[in-house]
């Protein structure tokens, strides 16, 4: 399954007591600079060569290539443990598999043996956000230290821990960032922002993909690390802004998603607190716990639903590898944290001053070493806690139904396939009913899918299949809402437009064995791929927004041809070649003006400008169609002079607030765009979404937000402000049209329920 570069012969040759570091130079001799040196970044070619060299020469380190990234680079994982553990890795793995599924453990005596024999399994991941450059650089030093050092601390870690280290979760992005940085270092544009997303499709959203598994890198990590080893601890290494605390580690703030086992919450609290204490004892100032980051969305925390803990650390950033100096009066707290004074969760103040990549690397490395030390010293605790969480799930929580059913013969078979893919990739056991049966007053046909809730990863299934009721958290009683760190809903049956039912009674039907990993194939929409398909263009700003990448992803998944147009293309008349132009969710200001002079090298400065805006207007008046989503609707409204306003303009967050929830819309009348959807549909709504007020006879309403309370899942304050208001409209302009989506028809590759609206809006010819 995996290619192991560490040969058995090499393992046997290695001495158990005296580990040779022969053949492994110090990092400076290999890279030509010290790891963390100002303005120096190792690239992916150097880093993979470094790990290959270490794996070839150290009996403590094995290197596996898990697969290829989106752009074809090697995606690798290092397995680090003592040579003795490497020799019996298969046995240690078998032990871990049993603890992961308590149904496989015969009795207390076997459990006791497993708990004695097993090792703490830790997965550390680096650099998912490629501009957070410290993590992958730090990994180079960490792995070298674990491969070569012989101090007590390292030996204890190697003896008791199996470390799985993915030194970059985003090698493509690492390459883009290092190339860009090297191109401009030493010039006035040193450490300028990247003009593209740092993941081919999804940019920063790549760490919001831990239940939808849309991207190759996510799927590789899930199927070849998580689901193989079921780590007790996962540590994702990130960076945050420059002007607050120096590093954040858990405890997380409220809310915790309610299906995460309380034993996991407690384990996160103790581990994060221990890391903070160790770092402070080691002289690291500015460590904060219990701040800013919550534990609500499963999109960032796969392991919380798979028996283990997921720790996030966030270290203060410099400017890529360029140092910054932060004066004491520039330090800023967030969300009630005052970084100028000490407090229970911020015991040692950092006074400001210079902050280098070397500081970032030092803080990160000390955090990982503290985590590994906790994992090593508390081996028994970690295994027992993991076992108990899995046993609790196998026993089924009182709050959970007996099972979830996905009825056979649903209209949206692709949606059912997509949900089954997610559940089975998440290691959920899904069965089919071998005969027809009745439950909850309904008859289900043979072949219906059954997800029993008494299984190890039931929490993953239940969380994704049920509707969320996000707690109404306020900054103070009666005050403004406390903004969630992330979004508040993730109900797959709504997002994917399928039916799934919780069943409270025992099922009386024979079930198949669990189905294998389920795949989904997206069929190309006929109108966009067959015969005379429309000529599609997607606008790509140099301030490239993530929804534009997600739209490219969904078009590529469906094999829909399109071209990407930049500002200069549109300014130079390219629109004559197209029928439809898409503006994804991005502010009118960013589209029109782009980057300012001095912010970026000249070729990336400016947006569409007067010339580009005029070209867009001419395109529509001459028969073309513009599709605009979310904030970009304001661009279309301005460019085309439409009498449309936002229905919630000027409302305070106490009057209207929807941070990322699932709402109901209703189609209005008959139209080719809405004919593919049911009269009522679930849509995503978040901060950049909007409802419209229409004062223009050229505008037709195609769908409205639901009357009454439009909320289906998540959290809404002041839902009545948009109830019944236009959500999707089309404006006739000259002989062309503009289709304005107030909501994103494609939210992070998940809203299959509203993809048909996007496809039907795209299916348009200039002269029809
Ligand atoms: Zn990050």
């Amino acid at each position: 399954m995996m290619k192991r570069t560490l040969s058995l012969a090499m393992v046997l040759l290695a001495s158990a007591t005296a580990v040779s570091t022969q053949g492994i130079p110090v990092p400076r001799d290999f890279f030509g600079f010290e790891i963390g040196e100002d303005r120096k970044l190792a690239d992916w070619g150097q880093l993979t060569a470094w790990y290959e060299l270490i794996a070839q020469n150290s009996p403590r380190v094995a290197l596996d290539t898990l697969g290829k990234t989106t752009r074809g680079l090697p995606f690798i994982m290092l397995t680090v443990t003592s040579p003795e553990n490497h020799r019996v890795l298969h046995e240690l793995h078998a032990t871990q598999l049993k603890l992961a599924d308590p149904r496989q453990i015969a009795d207390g005596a076997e459990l006791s043996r497993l708990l004695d024999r097993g090792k703490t399994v830790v997965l550390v991941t680096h650099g998912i956000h490629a501009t957070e450059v410290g993590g992958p650089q730090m990994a180079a030093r960490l792995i070298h230290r674990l491969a070569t050092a012989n101090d007590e601390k390292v030996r204890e870690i190697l003896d008791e821990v199996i470390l799985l280290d993915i030194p970059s979760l985003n090698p493509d992005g690492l390459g883009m960032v290092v190339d860009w940085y090297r191109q401009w270092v030493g010039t006035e544009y040193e450490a300028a922002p990247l003009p593209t997303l740092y993941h081919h499709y999804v940019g920063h959203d790549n760490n919001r993909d831990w239940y939808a598994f849309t991207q190759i890198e996510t799927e590789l990590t899930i199927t070849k690390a998580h689901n193989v080893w079921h780590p007790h601890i996962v540590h994702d290494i990130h960076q945050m802004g420059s002007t607050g605390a120096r590093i954040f580690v858990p405890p997380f703030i409220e809310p915790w998603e309610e299906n995460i086992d309380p034993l996991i919450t407690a384990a996160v609290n103790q581990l994060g607190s221990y890391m903070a204490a160790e770092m402070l004892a080691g002289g690291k100032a500015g460590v904060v716990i219990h701040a800013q980051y919550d534990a609500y969305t499963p999109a960032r925390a796969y392991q919380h639903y798979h028996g283990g803990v997921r720790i996030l650390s966030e270290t203060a950033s410099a400017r890529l590898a360029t140092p910054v100096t932060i004066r004491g009066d520039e330090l800023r707290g967030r969300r009630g944290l005052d970084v100028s004074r000490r407090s229970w969760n911020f015991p040692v103040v950092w006074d400001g001053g210079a902050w280098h990549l070397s500081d970032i690397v030092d803080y990160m490395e000390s955090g990982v070493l503290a985590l590994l030390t906790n994992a090593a010293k508390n081996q028994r605790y970690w295994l027992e806690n993991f076992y108990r969480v899995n046993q609790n799930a196998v026993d089924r929580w009182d709050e959970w139904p007996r099972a979830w059913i996905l009825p056979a013969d649903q209209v949206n078979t692709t949606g059912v396939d997509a949900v089954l893919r997610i559940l089975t990739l998440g290691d959920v056991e899904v069965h089919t009913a071998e005969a027809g049966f009745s439950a909850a007053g309904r008859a289900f046909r043979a072949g219906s899918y059954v997800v029993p809730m008494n299984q190890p990863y039931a929490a993953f299934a239940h969380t994704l299949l049920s509707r969320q009721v996000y707690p109404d958290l306020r900054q103070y009683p009666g005050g403004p809402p406390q903004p969630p760190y992330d979004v508040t809903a993730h109900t797959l049956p709504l997002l994917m437009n399928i039916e799934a039912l919780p069943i409270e009674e025992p099922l009386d039907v024979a079930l198949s064995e669990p189905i294998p990993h389920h795949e989904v194939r997206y069929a190309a929409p006929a109108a966009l791929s067959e015969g005379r398909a429309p000529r599609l263009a997607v606008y790509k700003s140099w301030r490239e927004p993530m929804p534009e990448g997600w739209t490219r992803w969904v078009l590529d998944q469906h094999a829909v041809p399109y071209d990407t147009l930049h500002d200069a293309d549109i300014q130079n008349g390219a629109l004559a070649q197209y029928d439809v132009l898409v503006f994804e969710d991005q502010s009118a200001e960013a589209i029109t003006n782009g980057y300012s002079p001095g912010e970026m090298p000249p070729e990336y400065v400016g947006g569409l400008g007067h010339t580009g805006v005029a070209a867009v207007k001419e395109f529509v008046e001459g028969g073309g169609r513009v599709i605009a989503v979310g904030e970009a609707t304001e661009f279309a409204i301005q460019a085309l002079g439409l009498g449309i306003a936002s229905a919630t303009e000027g409302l305070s967050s106490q009057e209207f607030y929807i941070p990322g929830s699932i709402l109901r819309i209703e189609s209005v009348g008959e139209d080719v765009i809405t004919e593919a959807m049911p009269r009522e549909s679930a849509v995503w709504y978040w901060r950049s979404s909007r409802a419209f007020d229409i004062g223009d006879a050229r505008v037709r309403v195609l769908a409205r937000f639901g009357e009454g309370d439009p909320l289906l899942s998540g959290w809404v304050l002041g839902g009545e402000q948009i109830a019944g208001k236009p959500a999707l409209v089309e404006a006739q302009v000259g002989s062309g049209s503009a289709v304005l989506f107030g909501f994103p028809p494609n939210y992070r590759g998940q809203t299959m329920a509203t993809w048909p609206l996007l496809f039907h809006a795209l299916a348009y010819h200039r002269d029809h």
Side-chain angles (χ1 to χ4, degrees), residues 27 88 107 262 298 364 373 400 406-407 435 444 493 496 558 563 586 606 610 642 644 660 704 749 760:
V88 293
D107 52 26
M364 287 176 169
T373 299
W400 292 344
L406 279 62
F444 296 97
M496 307 263 180
H558 289 82
D563 289 329
Q586 183 174 23
H610 290 307
L642 301 173
I644 303 177
R704 297 178 182 278
H760 280 233

Side-chain angles (χ1 to χ4, degrees), residues 300-491:
R300 290 184 289 117
Y302 183 80
Q303 209 55 11
H304 283 172
Y305 302 88
H306 292 84
V309 306
R310 183 262 180 175
I311 291 270
L312 164 80
S313 70
E314 295 270 0
T315 303
S317 295
R319 295 174 60 235
L320 301 178
T322 301
V324 292
T325 300
I326 296 154
R327 296 191 316 271
D329 65 353
E330 289 175 313
L331 283 166
R332 303 261 181 277
R334 290 191 65 182
R335 283 197 160 206
L337 174 71
D338 180 352
V339 292
S340 72
R341 64 182 64 205
R342 70 190 203 204
S343 54
W344 78 269
N345 60 331
F346 187 66
V348 180
V349 172
W350 184 71
D351 294 328
W355 187 249
H356 298 265
L357 179 59
S358 58
D359 296 312
I360 297 170
V361 167
D362 287 348
Y363 270 69
M364 287 176 169
E365 191 179 27
S366 70
V368 176
L369 288 170
L371 177 144
L372 292 171
T373 299
N374 183 296
K377 286 191 187 301
N378 302 296
Q379 170 270 354
R380 180 92 185 189
Y381 160 80
W382 283 109
L383 271 61
E384 203 160 351
N385 202 63
F386 176 73
Y387 162 79
R388 286 195 190 285
V389 169
N390 295 327
Q391 183 65 55
N392 289 343
V394 167
D395 289 344
R396 188 168 65 82
W397 293 18
D398 293 344
E399 297 92 323
W400 292 344
R402 297 253 177 190
W404 280 88
I405 309 229
L406 279 62
D409 305 328
Q410 298 199 35
V411 175
N412 182 10
T413 53
T414 317
V416 172
D417 286 343
V419 172
L420 291 174
R421 172 182 177 271
I422 287 173
L423 294 177
T424 55
L425 275 177
D427 259 1
V428 172
E429 294 167 4
V430 180
H431 307 260
T432 51
E434 302 204 317
F437 64 100
S438 296
R442 257 185 76 159
F444 296 97
R445 300 178 55 169
S448 291
Y449 295 98
V450 178
V451 186
M453 283 293 100
N454 54 342
Q455 56 166 309
Y457 310 130
F460 187 68
H462 186 63
T463 301
L464 294 176
L465 294 173
S466 56
R467 296 193 184 200
Q468 283 69 57
V469 181
Y470 189 86
D472 186 2
L473 300 177
R474 305 299 181 117
Q475 294 174 23
Y476 48 87
Q482 182 176 302
Y485 182 70
D486 218 307
V487 300
T488 66
H490 38 264
T491 311

Side-chain angles (χ1 to χ4, degrees), residues 602-622:
E603 56 264 49
Y604 304 109
V605 164
L608 279 177
H610 290 307
T611 317
V613 173
V616 170
K617 186 158 186 271
E618 189 188 336
F619 167 70
V620 177
E621 286 172 344

